[in-house]
Structures are given as C-alpha cells and as structure tokens.
Amino acid sequence: MDVNAAVAAAAAIAGVCTGVIAMLAFRWSERDQKRPTRTSLHTDPVLPPGVDTVLSVLRSSAVVLDEADSVVKASSAAYALGLVRGGKLAVEPMLQMARDTRRDGEIRQVELDLPRRGTGRGEALAVSARVAPLGSRLVLLLVEDLTEARRIEAVRRDFVANVSHELKTPVGALSLLSEAVMDASEDPEAVERFAGRMQIEATRLTSLVQELIDLSRVQNDDPLEDAEPVRVDELVAEAIDRSRHQASHKQITMAAGGAAELQIWGNRGQLAAALGNLVENAVNYSPARTRVGIAARRVTAPGGDLIEVAVTDQGIGISDKDKERIFERFYRVDPARSRATGGTGLGLAIVKHVAASHGGEVTVWSSEGQGSTFTLRLPEAAAHRDRGNGHGGGGLDEETTSPGESAATTTYEPIPAPEVLP
C-alpha cells in the first residue's frame, strides 16, 4: 500500500509540473506573437479598414505610428528616404510633431532638410512633412520629396534673372541712342553714327530673343517625333554659310572633310542650329587669318555606331575652370569679346540640349592659347546603311564657294583625325 501511494503521489506531482510547463509555454508563445516583426510593420491588423489600401497608392512616403511611437506601417518610399529604421521613426523633428498631434489632435506641417542617405557629402533632401491623427490611437505621417521641385525652381529663378539682365542691356542702349538721335537731329553725321549703333543693338536683341525661343523649343519638344536621316555634309555646308560673312571679314579659312555619305538620325532644324552655333563660336573666338576645321567620322560604340562632328579653332582657348561651366546658360568665357561679337551666352546651352535630346553628347578639348575642339557625338541613321550609298558622291568634296567670296577661303580637303580630334 505504501508503494502504491508513493507512485500515485509521484504521478500527481508530474502531472502538475506538466500543466505548469504547458501554461508557461502558452503564455510565452502569446508574448512572442505580440512582438513586432518586419512583416507586422507593414500589415498590422490595428489599421482601420481600407487605410492600408489607400496608403499603398499614395505617391507620398507614408508612416503610421501607434501610441508608443512604434511604426505600425511604413511604405517602401519611407524606408528609401531613411525615415524608418529598426521599427522606429528616425527623424526627431517628425517624431516630435507626431507626439504633439497625438496629444492635441491638430494637423501639423513643416518643411525640413534631411541628410541624403548613403552619401558622405553634405547634400540634403528637401521634404515636406504633414502629420494628422488617424483614429483615436494612431498618427499618420505623409512626407513629400521636394528636392527636384526646388532645383527646378532655382533654375527658373536664375533663368528669369539672367534673361532680365541680358534684355536690359540692348533695350537700355536703344533708349539712350534714340534720345541721342533726337538731340542730334541737325547733325547728319551724328545721326548716322547713332543709327548704326541702334542697328547693332537691335540685332543683338533679335538674336537674344531668337535664341531664347530656340532654347525653349529644344527643352520642351521631343526632336525624335519628327526625326529623319540628316546628311552631315548638308549640315556642315549650312553651318559654313551661316558664318561665311564673319569669316570673310576676319580672313579666316574654313576647311571641312570626312562628312560625305554620313547621316545622323534626328531633327534637321535642331541639328543645324547646334552645329551652326559651334562653327559660329569658332569663328568669333578665332584671331584673324587663322583656320577653322570641321571634320566628321563614324565611330563604333556598344549601343550602335555614332557620328562624330568636330569643330576645331585656333582661338584663345578655354581654361580648366571655364570648361566646367561653358555649357551653362548665359555663361561667357570672355564677356568683353561676347559683347563685341553680339554673343548671347546661349549658343552652347542649345548645343548641349540638342545633343542630349538626340541621345548623344557634346564634349570639349581646349588649351589656352592653342585653340579648342568641340565634338558632337550623335547616333548614326541606321536606315542609311541599309540603303547603301544611294546618295552618290560629292557632298563636301565639291567646291561651293563663288569667285566673289575669296576673302573667306572655304576648302573641303580631308582633315587628319588626330589633328582635329586631339
């Protein structure tokens, strides 16, 4: 009997222990289930019905916080901006806004500059944060990235300021010259002199307005909508004709070669304007009795063959610090020379936009006192190769000058590539 009682007592104790262990395991499991995980941060069931769907389609970065400031849900954009880290809101000003809104229920909005994630530089992200209560327990944070909008606004302000400044010069000069003409109405020589100056300023104003229109067009239009195969030799001939008078006045020789049978795919008007600007700059910034060369060639590239058109001058050259900025709007290497030649500071900006919109690029090589080479690289017209040499010879190998224009010598002999493309 004593043995049976002992066995029964041992069995009872074992049963009690098993029950205690089972109860502890159940409680432990419940606590683990309540612990937040990466998945629960996105799909916690405490969100009101439909909120999860609405937040998923918003363009803003969205973060939902509970009463303990833990993240209940965060969009992928919020993680990308670095707003959420380790299940917590990582931006202290936003966290304080959420606490204030949870306390008084007021909607708050503020603009902040945040350090850019993953960079050691001082670049900042401009954001707009808006905090609002979501039900009785939760707080919703919406964050808009304003960085690109601010950059565009800064560019627009600079552009308007520059345009205003550039327009004031010729307009003011015309006003003063007109007053001078009125005061000198009885002096024919003075009237003629002032009228000549008025014509120069009017021409400068017309050029500025036209180049502003051209720049706006190349920035807003898609040139590939009206794209076609464009012969390089025709573009070069147009560019030379455009600068022929100025080259004749300075006795500058313009030589071209290598463009026969090459074609570029793009908008003819924009391509002609870009190459014309490069040739015109080369002539304007070259001393008298020097040489401007235009050379074209086909180069092999991984994405398809490209056409390189290089414009080389023997001018004043460009310093290293200026080379970084010459494609900016209204930037001039030599402002005094630009005023003398009627330059607007928009020519190279137009070239840059035309090259980029055609899937190409423009580069510059220059050495002070030795000259410069601007190179346009643009996609070749593939259809031209399929048709073969259907356009025949000729091109830039034919003489196009008339006997009366011998002051500006235009020759079309080939130019060695190493000489034109340093």
Side-chain angles (χ1 to χ4, degrees):
M1 291 294 293
D2 293 340
V3 174
N4 291 336
V7 171
I13 293 171
V16 171
C17 291
T18 302
V20 171
I21 293 173
M23 183 178 64
L24 291 175
F26 178 77
R27 292 291 180 86
W28 202 322
S29 175
E30 276 190 329
R31 189 168 59 181
D32 283 344
Q33 288 179 355
K34 292 180 180 180
R35 186 175 300 164
T37 63
R38 178 79 175 202
T39 303
S40 68
L41 293 179
H42 293 273
T43 59
D44 198 293
V46 300
L47 284 175
V51 172
D52 187 43
T53 303
V54 172
L55 296 182
S56 65
V57 299
L58 288 178
R59 297 179 59 183
S60 306
S61 302
V63 180
V64 178
L65 303 175
D66 62 14
E67 60 268 23
D69 291 333
S70 297
V71 176
V72 176
K73 178 175 177 62
S75 64
S76 57
Y79 284 101
L81 287 178
L83 304 179
V84 178
R85 295 175 191 169
K88 295 290 185 179
L89 187 62
V91 183
E92 184 60 33
M94 295 182 186
L95 186 58
Q96 186 59 48
M97 286 173 59
R99 291 169 179 168
D100 294 340
T101 296
R102 186 185 301 112
R103 185 181 64 252
D104 56 26
E106 291 186 6
I107 298 176
R108 289 174 169 81
Q109 184 167 349
V110 69
E111 293 188 0
L112 301 169
D113 290 332
L114 305 179
R116 190 180 295 270
R117 188 177 183 184
T119 63
R121 295 173 293 179
E123 301 176 354
L125 289 171
V127 299
S128 173
R130 185 178 179 87
V131 180
L134 185 64
S136 59
R137 300 170 50 204
L138 305 179
V139 173
L140 172 63
L141 171 68
L142 296 177
V143 179
E144 289 278 356
D145 187 353
L146 304 178
T147 307
E148 183 64 15
R150 282 194 179 179
R151 187 192 68 80
I152 294 174
E153 178 63 20
V155 170
R156 187 193 65 80
R157 285 197 306 268
D158 290 343
F159 182 73
V160 171
N162 287 331
V163 169
S164 301
H165 175 75
E166 294 296 330
L167 287 174
K168 281 181 180 178
T169 302
V171 170
L174 287 171
S175 177
L176 292 174
L177 288 169
S178 64
E179 293 178 4
V181 168
M182 293 178 64
D183 293 339
S185 57
E186 297 180 358
D187 186 349
E189 292 184 1
V191 170
E192 183 178 356
R193 184 172 65 256
F194 292 142
R197 289 295 306 167
M198 290 177 70
Q199 287 183 336
I200 293 174
E201 296 299 333
T203 300
R204 177 178 299 175
L205 183 60
T206 302
S207 299
L208 176 59
V209 172
Q210 184 58 51
E211 291 201 348
L212 285 171
I213 294 172
D214 292 341
L215 181 60
S216 175
R217 185 173 298 146
V218 300
Q219 286 181 322
N220 297 326
D221 294 350
D222 182 4
L224 300 185
E225 287 184 358
D226 302 320
E228 60 179 337
V230 181
R231 292 184 57 173
V232 177
D233 55 359
E234 295 177 355
L235 294 177
V236 174
E238 290 182 27
I240 290 176
D241 286 339
R242 173 173 163 177
S243 301
R244 189 183 303 279
H245 176 73
Q246 182 68 10
S248 173
H249 179 71
K250 299 174 68 174
Q251 298 182 0
I252 290 177
T253 299
M254 292 190 290
E261 304 306 330
L262 298 180
Q263 289 189 335
I264 296 172
W265 181 257
N267 182 289
R268 180 184 179 85
Q270 292 191 14
L271 293 173
L275 186 57
N277 286 345
L278 291 181
V279 175
E280 186 176 24
N281 274 2
V283 172
N284 287 338
Y285 285 89
S286 292
R289 293 179 294 277
T290 55
R291 170 187 171 107
V292 171
I294 306 101
R297 66 177 182 177
R298 178 186 295 113
V299 295
T300 302
D305 288 350
L306 299 176
I307 300 299
E308 281 190 354
V309 183
V311 179
T312 301
D313 62 60
Q314 297 173 320
I316 59 175
I318 305 170
S319 66
D320 290 338
K321 66 179 182 67
D322 287 323
K323 278 190 285 190
E324 299 177 358
R325 301 190 58 191
I326 55 173
F327 294 104
E328 296 179 12
R329 288 169 293 192
F330 298 110
Y331 185 79
R332 299 180 177 93
V333 173
D334 186 349
R337 183 183 291 262
S338 293
R339 287 193 295 268
T341 60
T344 63
L346 292 173
L348 291 179
I350 292 174
V351 174
K352 177 183 176 181
H353 281 287
V354 170
S357 62
H358 281 74
E361 64 174 351
V362 58
T363 58
V364 59
W365 173 92
S366 186
S367 178
E368 291 187 86
Q370 297 184 24
S372 307
T373 295
F374 287 84
T375 303
L376 268 174
R377 294 185 181 90
L378 298 166
E380 183 181 17
H384 171 64
R385 285 194 158 186
D386 296 337
R387 289 193 299 267
N389 297 330
H391 292 288
L396 292 179
D397 295 325
E398 298 178 4
E399 181 66 44
T400 60
T401 55
S402 61
E405 296 173 326
S406 57
T409 307
T410 306
T411 59
Y412 294 113
E413 74 264 14
I415 302 174
E419 191 177 271
V420 177
L421 301 171

